[in-house]
Amino acid sequence: MTPALKRPKVETIDDDEEEGGERELALVALIEHRTKEVEHLKKRVSYYQSQLEEAVKRLGHSESQLARLRSQDKKTVSNGNGNVNMEQNPGSSNVDEASHSHNQRTSSRPQLVIPAANPKISQPVALSENSLKASIGAARGAPTSRQLPSAKPELEVVEVRQRPKAKLEQKEHKDLVPLIRSSSTPHMINFQPGYHINSQHKRKLRSLVLNPVNDQLFVTSALDGMVNLWQMQARGSNASLLSTMDAVSPKQRRWPEDITWHPQGDSLFCVYTADGGDSQISVLNLNSRQKRVSFLEEKPHIRGIINSIIFVPWEECFATGGSDHAVIFWTDKDGQDNSWKPKTLHRNLHSSAVMGVAGMYQKQVLLSAGSDKRIIGFDLLSGRADYRHQIETKCMSVLPNPSDFNLFMVQTAAPEKQLRLFDFRLRQTEIHAFGWKQESSDSQSALINPAWSPDGLYISSGSADPMIHIFDIRFNASKPSQSVKAHQKRVFKAAWHQSMPLLISISSDLQIGLHKRVN
């Protein structure tokens, strides 16, 4: 009998072989992986090219300004002395040039900074046998593991240049309360068909937050504990993944429950749980290359999940609200990452979990909403509750209007009345309520996060159905002014971009949706 031939190390695909189908799927998965890698590198090349062109323009502008300055100096000396004195103070030119360069650097708005020297870029990754099997399983629709794949290429480390500490932006107050329920017909918004990109998360998304300083950046977080930093492309037509940070807590290995940007836009703050002695707050510093994620030593919450974190509008301080009924106010003592000191504002004003916190714009009042159905406004100057109201159902979150400083919204657990509007000046008075009827589930989740449009006239909300519901506060009906089919599964949040006509959404289908307005 003729002995069987040894199979060569480099295998070929044979449709007649028993494992040919699996090998084909493995190669398809490998090709998809390397195609995405090529696209990522092309985007980086395009980014560097645009940065180079801008740098060349700035260099030419500086050189021309220096040439004009020297020309004016020569004319001045010639007119004053009758001849040109070619000898100048040897340090004056350098001082002027350095001063001009410094002024130019400080006057330009800091954007995303990627170091030019020895940049880290993705390297080709050879998939192992286990990775190929995982790719085959994913291609066949098998459930993916909750752990991140070990063969995932490391993304480029991205820095956001730290801004000098400055006064917070002063917004203009607009009186929108008289417009509420003033129209019998809604003002419709037309959207292009949504463009979807893979979130690169392995488990359900939890948070979506836009950068308050650089309108090109936003972050997503998920139950896999990862925080992904994204950059807008082509005026909101696409987005590219810039960096991935592992933000799980050190002891319980918990994902961030809520996340917010520092007002300067160079760091992120996440909250976790008070159980098991775990760290409660993390700081993700985008300017650090060594230790990008650090955890605060202070642990003021005594038990349960910390549900909400937000920076207040009047100073660079933040507040947290938790399942221990407490609202904590955090101040930065010396500007260092770990120097934040907590102060308990109250623990007894709520009889159940605090689900949301927010600061009012016109005064130093911190709003809190709880599952005990209470809405509390705590005045930090007087040290007491200045506003108290209780409704008939659980409160899930609270969000002040960005234009009218007296108006705020509370998300509730009442079907078809999930969103309530209140005027801070009118005690215990609801001025409007609206919502939707869910088709897929009767449960009202706190994970559905409403959001105000920048002009304060519209509210967007996700739902247990794959829809984005939009409410025009001028519309005198309680139903949505329109609903946009956005995803394949439930929508967690739809955030309005501050400068682009764009809605950004996240869903449990692990996709990020970009929905451009056309009017």
Side-chain angles (χ1 to χ4, degrees):
M1 182 179 293
T2 305
L5 296 177
K6 252 186 198 178
R7 181 173 294 174
K9 290 184 179 179
V10 180
E11 299 177 358
T12 58
I13 297 178
D14 188 349
D15 294 335
D16 296 331
E17 293 183 3
E18 183 178 353
E19 298 179 354
E22 291 190 358
R23 293 192 188 120
E24 182 179 355
L25 287 173
L27 287 174
V28 169
L30 180 60
I31 290 171
E32 290 178 354
H33 168 77
R34 290 180 174 170
T35 299
K36 292 179 180 179
E37 186 178 46
V38 169
E39 292 175 354
H40 175 72
L41 291 174
K42 284 182 179 179
K43 290 177 181 178
R44 305 321 307 153
V45 170
S46 174
Y47 176 82
Y48 281 118
Q49 185 64 35
S50 63
Q51 292 296 302
L52 175 62
E53 292 175 357
E54 293 180 4
V56 170
K57 290 179 181 179
R58 292 194 296 267
L59 175 61
H61 179 69
S62 298
E63 290 176 342
S64 63
Q65 284 190 330
L66 179 61
R68 287 197 298 270
L69 180 63
R70 287 176 173 173
S71 175
Q72 292 174 359
D73 291 343
K74 291 178 181 179
K75 289 180 180 180
T76 301
V77 174
S78 176
N79 294 336
N81 299 336
N83 56 1
V84 178
N85 181 7
M86 299 300 294
E87 295 183 1
Q88 299 181 3
N89 186 345
S92 62
S93 176
N94 294 334
V95 171
D96 292 342
E97 185 175 2
S99 175
H100 172 74
S101 176
H102 172 75
N103 291 337
Q104 186 182 21
R105 286 196 305 269
T106 55
S107 61
S108 61
R109 183 181 182 181
Q111 299 292 334
L112 189 67
V113 176
I114 299 179
N118 301 323
K120 289 178 63 178
I121 58 177
S122 301
Q123 299 296 329
V125 176
L127 293 182
S128 64
E129 182 180 356
N130 292 334
S131 299
L132 288 177
K133 289 181 179 179
S135 300
I136 293 171
R140 289 179 170 179
T144 57
S145 170
R146 293 187 177 185
Q147 300 297 327
L148 292 179
S150 59
K152 181 176 179 180
E154 183 180 3
L155 293 173
E156 183 176 5
V157 175
V158 179
E159 291 186 0
V160 175
R161 183 177 299 168
Q162 190 172 8
R163 292 165 58 88
K165 194 169 183 178
K167 290 184 178 180
L168 298 180
E169 178 185 2
Q170 297 296 321
K171 292 188 176 183
E172 179 184 357
H173 169 76
K174 296 180 181 178
D175 191 7
L176 301 183
V177 172
L179 300 178
I180 295 175
R181 307 181 67 177
S182 62
S183 175
S184 58
T185 57
H187 297 72
M188 303 294 289
I189 301 175
N190 295 322
F191 290 95
Q192 295 179 357
Y195 179 77
H196 295 84
I197 56 179
N198 192 316
S199 68
Q200 306 297 323
H201 288 288
K202 301 305 178 185
R203 297 182 63 189
K204 290 182 180 180
L205 284 89
R206 176 58 62 90
S207 300
L208 164 70
V209 193
L210 280 63
N211 190 290
V213 175
N214 189 331
D215 60 6
Q216 300 296 315
L217 301 180
F218 66 93
V219 293
T220 57
S221 70
L223 301 187
D224 57 9
M226 312 304 286
V227 175
N228 288 347
L229 175 65
W230 299 85
Q231 182 181 21
M232 292 289 186
Q233 303 287 342
R235 293 291 299 167
S237 298
N238 200 352
S240 60
L241 180 61
L242 295 181
S243 180
T244 295
M245 294 164 281
D246 187 347
V248 294
S249 63
K251 290 187 178 181
Q252 302 272 329
R253 307 299 293 170
R254 295 277 300 185
W255 56 81
E257 296 290 343
D258 193 21
I259 188 170
T260 189
W261 282 98
H262 188 280
Q264 300 298 332
D266 55 5
S267 58
L268 291 154
F269 287 65
C270 309
V271 290
Y272 301 90
T273 177
D275 293 333
D278 205 358
S279 297
Q280 299 184 6
I281 310 287
S282 71
V283 181
L284 281 60
N285 191 341
L286 301 184
N287 288 323
S288 174
R289 286 186 166 276
Q290 302 299 324
K291 188 177 181 182
R292 305 194 80 186
V293 182
S294 59
F295 293 88
L296 303 188
E297 297 178 357
E298 302 285 352
K299 302 175 182 179
H301 289 278
I302 57 178
R303 68 177 184 277
I305 293 173
I306 304 170
N307 297 302
S308 180
I309 179 172
I310 194 71
F311 273 85
V312 297
W314 57 84
E315 58 182 318
E316 292 181 1
C317 299
F318 67 90
T320 56
S323 298
D324 58 350
H325 314 174
V327 173
I328 310 295
F329 192 70
W330 300 72
T331 55
D332 189 5
K333 296 300 182 183
D334 54 15
Q336 301 299 320
D337 287 345
N338 291 309
S339 66
W340 293 88
K341 300 300 179 184
K343 176 184 177 182
T344 301
L345 294 186
H346 54 85
R347 290 188 185 273
N348 302 318
L349 297 181
H350 287 280
S351 60
S352 188
V354 177
M355 302 301 297
V357 291
M360 297 292 287
Y361 287 101
Q362 85 280 23
K363 56 176 62 178
Q364 293 189 22
V365 170
L366 192 68
L367 294 172
S368 58
S371 55
D372 59 357
K373 309 176 186 180
R374 297 176 185 175
I375 306 167
I376 302 295
F378 189 87
D379 191 321
L380 273 73
L381 296 180
S382 64
R384 59 183 179 84
D386 190 44
Y387 180 96
R388 296 172 185 260
H389 186 34
Q390 184 164 351
I391 58 178
E392 79 284 357
T393 186
K394 292 180 179 180
C395 300
M396 302 294 193
S397 64
V398 59
L399 196 61
N401 187 284
S403 296
D404 191 322
F405 300 159
N406 297 307
L407 182 64
F408 65 93
M409 166 182 57
V410 174
Q411 178 197 357
T412 74
E416 301 186 61
K417 292 184 65 176
Q418 290 95 335
L419 305 178
R420 316 286 184 93
L421 295 185
F422 297 92
D423 187 335
F424 188 81
R425 299 165 297 184
L426 304 176
R427 304 307 167 105
Q428 303 183 2
T429 302
E430 180 181 288
I431 59 177
H432 196 9
F434 31 64
W436 63 93
K437 183 178 180 180
Q438 291 184 174
E439 298 178 1
S440 62
S441 173
D442 292 332
S443 64
Q444 305 296 318
S445 174
L447 301 179
I448 296 173
N449 298 286
W452 286 104
S453 63
D455 59 9
L457 295 175
Y458 295 93
I459 301 171
S460 61
S461 177
S463 70
D465 310 310
M467 308 289 289
I468 298 175
H469 297 302
I470 297 177
F471 301 88
D472 180 359
I473 66 172
R474 297 163 291 187
F475 189 31
N476 61 8
S478 59
K479 63 182 180 179
S481 58
Q482 63 188 105
S483 297
V484 180
K485 179 70 166 59
H487 289 273
Q488 298 302 317
K489 296 182 179 180
R490 66 181 299 161
V491 180
F492 287 120
K493 185 175 183 178
W496 304 78
H497 197 276
Q498 293 295 319
S499 60
M500 300 180 192
L502 181 70
L503 262 179
I504 307 174
S505 60
I506 56 174
S507 166
S508 57
D509 63 8
L510 303 185
Q511 300 288 310
I512 300 173
L514 303 175
H515 315 275
K516 298 192 73 173
R517 297 174 58 175
V518 294
N519 64 337

